Amino acid sequence: MLVPALPFNSFSGEKKPVLRVAHLTDVHLKDKFDAPARFAKCLHHVQQQPGVDLILNGGDIVFDMNKENIDTINAQWKLWHSIIKSDCSLPMHYILGNHDVWWNENDKGQALYGKKFSMDQIQLSAPYYSFIKNGWKFILLDSVHLDIDDTWYMGKLGDVQFAWLENELNNTPAAMPVLVMSHIPLLTATNLVDDEVAVNKWEILGGEMHTDISKIATLFYKHPNLKLCPSGHIHLRDKVVYNNVTYLCNGAVSGAWWEGNKRETAPGYGLIDLYADGSFDERYVNY
């Protein structure tokens, strides 16, 4: 069901944002479950919201590249480009998710292996980068890396990217607000409800949340202009505020991979109003 478009003012109605951003994550596009038409509907819904300036795509763009064959991978990306061309007029800034990486451990010598294939599809020269728009700095991270056995993934930055992030924050004016986007949540409470587990027996796996969050949070504490960290990956919606940084796990466009809700979170996207003073309003929108 469509929800009414928001009036063009802040959610509070008191001041006008300098940017309105739509955060779309975990589309998992494939030619099944009527996913192409439903994704097009989502894009139309976003563009019906007044004043949206850009889309932040949080990764897991196509359904699954992990160990698929090349024909399936090419078909998924061809479908993606077709829908974006026909149904999206907004600029889109991407990061990669774990499903956008081809990690077939039997074919590591092939050019398709790793992240480059998907980076070429979305015209990324690097898997992490930053840009500035209307007084806000956006830092887009690459949170998906091979685990210690080289056969699966875990959430982390690694030493090189962490040094880059530290440099980015150090070189950002103290008065400029910062948004940091990752695919895997930097910090989330969704793991406490995602699976049916025995009471007081929770286990947070390295692929479900950043394993280096302690180090990252210590860095963030030095930069009070860092305000907001949206992510996806879990397909559940939550908001965690720690040391004045808001961590948003913003559900999934695909819900439960196009087969309904993931637990209590329906398919949707984040809508974020950013203000010149570093404040923001946000909500999760079902389309």
Side-chain angles (χ1 to χ4, degrees):
M1 178 183 296
L2 292 175
V3 299
L6 299 173
F8 185 66
N9 51 20
S10 71
F11 302 147
S12 63
E14 296 176 354
K15 55 184 178 180
K16 183 175 178 180
V18 294
L19 274 173
R20 174 166 281 180
V21 175
H23 176 224
L24 277 63
T25 187
D26 295 84
V27 175
H28 290 279
L29 186 64
K30 67 186 303 184
D31 196 8
K32 193 176 180 181
F33 305 125
D34 202 28
R38 293 160 72 184
F39 177 46
K41 176 184 176 183
C42 177
L43 290 171
H44 297 166
H45 196 270
V46 170
Q47 291 166 104
Q48 289 168 6
Q49 307 291 354
V52 175
D53 297 285
L54 59 91
I55 293 173
L56 294 177
N57 187 309
D60 280 1
I61 302 161
V62 293
F63 188 76
D64 190 13
M65 282 184 58
N66 282 322
K67 295 175 183 179
E68 284 287 0
N69 63 65
I70 186 62
D71 291 337
T72 299
I73 291 169
N74 279 328
Q76 290 179 8
W77 279 108
K78 182 178 180 180
L79 185 60
W80 177 268
H81 293 309
S82 173
I83 293 174
I84 293 300
K85 182 177 180 180
S86 63
D87 293 283
C88 185
S89 61
L90 291 170
M92 190 174 296
H93 299 268
Y94 293 89
I95 55 175
L96 298 181
N98 51 293
H99 287 271
D100 305 317
V101 184
W102 199 69
W103 280 331
N104 189 331
E105 61 266 23
N106 297 320
D107 295 282
K108 292 183 180 180
Q110 293 191 14
L112 188 64
Y113 182 79
K115 300 174 183 177
K116 187 177 186 307
F117 183 90
S118 291
M119 288 171 58
D120 289 346
Q121 294 293 318
I122 53 180
Q123 299 183 328
L124 285 185
S125 59
Y128 52 90
Y129 59 100
S130 69
F131 65 93
I132 294 171
K133 188 171 178 63
N134 293 15
W136 274 73
K137 174 169 256 190
F138 295 80
I139 299 177
L140 279 59
L141 299 177
D142 175 19
S143 60
V144 181
H145 299 274
L146 280 172
D147 206 339
I148 55 175
D149 63 359
D150 284 348
T151 61
W152 205 233
Y153 67 89
M154 66 189 304
K156 65 177 183 178
L157 297 181
D159 293 340
V160 174
Q161 187 180 183
F162 184 87
W164 173 86
L165 173 61
E166 187 173 32
N167 186 64
E168 281 288 318
L169 293 173
N170 288 339
N171 290 321
T172 301
M176 177 177 287
V178 178
L179 179 152
V180 175
M181 181 171 70
S182 62
H183 176 68
I184 296 174
L186 300 178
L187 182 65
T188 181
T190 57
N191 296 296
L192 304 179
V193 298
D194 191 19
D195 294 312
E196 300 297 332
V197 296
V199 176
N200 295 330
K201 297 292 184 182
W202 291 288
E203 179 183 13
I204 299 176
L205 302 176
E208 303 303 309
M209 192 177 84
H210 262 252
T211 58
D212 51 0
I213 179 55
S214 179
K215 185 178 179 181
I216 291 171
T218 299
L219 173 62
F220 286 0
Y221 186 65
K222 301 174 184 176
H223 299 277
N225 54 326
L226 200 157
K227 303 297 183 180
L228 181 62
C229 296
S231 67
H233 186 55
I234 311 295
H235 295 222
L236 299 178
R237 156 74 178 186
D238 84 343
K239 180 193 294 188
V240 174
V241 181
Y242 180 70
N243 282 340
N244 297 317
V245 177
T246 298
Y247 299 84
L248 289 175
C249 191
N250 248 340
V253 171
S254 64
W257 301 271
W258 301 110
E259 296 189 80
N261 295 359
K262 174 72 181 292
R263 286 191 58 102
E264 298 82 14
T265 301
Y269 60 91
L271 194 62
I272 306 169
D273 279 351
L274 303 174
Y275 300 100
D277 63 0
S279 62
F280 59 88
D281 290 315
E282 61 80 26
R283 67 180 237 182
Y284 187 65
V285 180
N286 302 128
Y287 62 89

